[in-house]
Amino acid sequence: MSIDAAAASGHGQLKWVDLRSSSIKGGTGKVSPGVTGSSAAEFAALLQQAALQSVTGDSSGSSLTSLTDASSLGNLLWQQLGGTAESYGEISGEITQTRPTDYEDLIQTASAKYGVPVDLIKAVIDTESSFNPNVVSSAGAKGLMQLMDGTANGLGVSDPFDPAQSIDGGVRYLSYQLKRYGGEEKMALAAYNAGPGRVNKLGVSNDEELMANLSQLPKETQAYIAKIERARAQYAV
C-alpha cells in the first residue's frame, strides 16, 4: 500500500472503481492458494539474495508502488523487504478473540501463518478497502489489502481481487515490515503506507520516537496510523 494507493475510510480524495462483479465470493472462508510452491521458492531465493544487499533507503515512494515488470523485483521490492524468508515466522503477537468478519477463516489462517495479530489484520483491511474485495484506488492498488500489481506479482498473488490471495499476500508483506522494525507496529504501518524509505529517513528506532517525529511523514500516513488504531479497537473483543 503506498500513500498514493491508499483507499477506503482514510483517503477520501481517491476514487475507487469496482472492476469485478458482485458475484465474487468473499465470505466462504475457502482458502485458495495465494502462493504456489514455485513462486514461494523464488520468493525465498530472492529474499536470501536481498539479505546480502543493503536496503535502498529510497524515499521516492512506497515499497508498494507499481513495479514495471517481474525482473525489477530483485532490485526494488526485495531490497526494501530485506531479511530472510524464514524471518516472518518469528513475529510475536497474541491472537485474541475478535469481532468476526466475512473473511474470518482467511484472516485467522494468515494470522497463524505469519504471526500478525488478527485484530491488526482486520483493522488494516477495514482501513484499506472497507472489506470490499473488488475495490481499486486511483493509483491502481487493488483488493482487500490494496496491493499494487508489481508487489502482488512479487508476493505470488496472481489475482489481487481474490480475497484469499490478497489477504495472504498483504499480511505476509505486513509481517516483513513488523520484522524489519522489531515488532514496532506503528513503524511497520507507516512503512506499509508510505514505504520503508520514508520511515528510515526519520532515523527513529521505536514507535515512541516515530510519533514524536510524525509530522515529518506525509499527512496521509499520519492519518493512516490513527485510523488503524481506531479500527483495531472496534475489532478487539
Side-chain angles (χ1 to χ4, degrees):
M1 197 350 261
S2 69
I3 359 181
D4 294 333
S9 58
H11 308 282
Q13 75 274 25
L14 297 179
K15 295 182 180 180
W16 287 348
V17 260
D18 198 344
L19 295 188
R20 299 266 294 248
S21 69
S22 59
S23 63
I24 294 178
K25 297 179 181 179
T28 61
K30 181 179 180 181
V31 179
S32 62
V35 182
T36 65
S38 59
S39 63
E42 181 181 0
F43 184 90
L46 287 169
L47 283 176
Q48 291 287 1
Q49 179 182 0
L52 302 178
Q53 301 171 334
S54 60
V55 176
T56 62
D58 180 11
S59 61
S60 61
S62 167
S63 57
L64 280 178
T65 54
S66 178
L67 303 180
T68 55
D69 53 50
S71 64
S72 65
L73 294 175
N75 293 326
L76 297 176
L77 179 60
W78 308 127
Q79 286 183 354
Q80 292 190 13
L81 285 175
T84 63
E86 291 79 13
S87 64
Y88 56 72
E90 301 170 6
I91 298 172
S92 62
E94 181 181 358
I95 301 175
T96 58
Q97 184 179 7
T98 58
R99 181 161 62 86
T101 71
D102 289 340
Y103 305 99
E104 196 67 23
D105 289 347
L106 300 177
I107 292 170
Q108 292 286 346
T109 296
S111 174
K113 185 176 181 180
Y114 300 117
V116 179
V118 171
D119 56 339
L120 179 58
I121 297 172
K122 292 179 179 180
V124 170
I125 297 174
D126 192 339
T127 302
E128 295 287 354
S129 64
S130 295
F131 285 89
N132 180 353
N134 309 321
V135 76
V136 180
S137 78
S138 59
K142 300 171 182 175
L144 289 173
M145 297 200 73
Q146 290 291 277
L147 299 175
M148 296 296 287
D149 288 341
T151 302
N153 292 336
L155 292 167
V157 176
S158 61
D159 182 2
F161 297 107
D162 174 28
Q165 293 192 46
S166 180
I167 291 173
D168 183 88
V171 174
R172 181 197 296 204
Y173 185 78
L174 181 58
S175 78
Y176 284 122
Q177 302 310 324
L178 285 164
K179 183 65 179 179
R180 171 193 289 275
Y181 298 111
E184 298 289 327
E185 292 182 353
K186 290 183 177 63
M187 293 183 70
L189 290 170
Y192 191 93
N193 180 258
R198 289 180 182 271
V199 176
N200 294 341
K201 282 189 66 176
L202 296 179
V204 300
S205 59
N206 56 52
D207 285 349
E208 184 178 357
E209 293 177 0
L210 176 76
M211 297 308 290
N213 293 273
L214 193 62
S215 61
Q216 298 181 44
L217 289 174
K219 290 184 178 180
E220 291 187 39
T221 304
Q222 298 176 38
Y224 182 81
I225 294 174
K227 287 167 186 173
I228 292 288
E229 290 186 333
R230 289 196 295 270
R232 191 173 186 180
Q234 296 175 4
Y235 289 101
V237 174

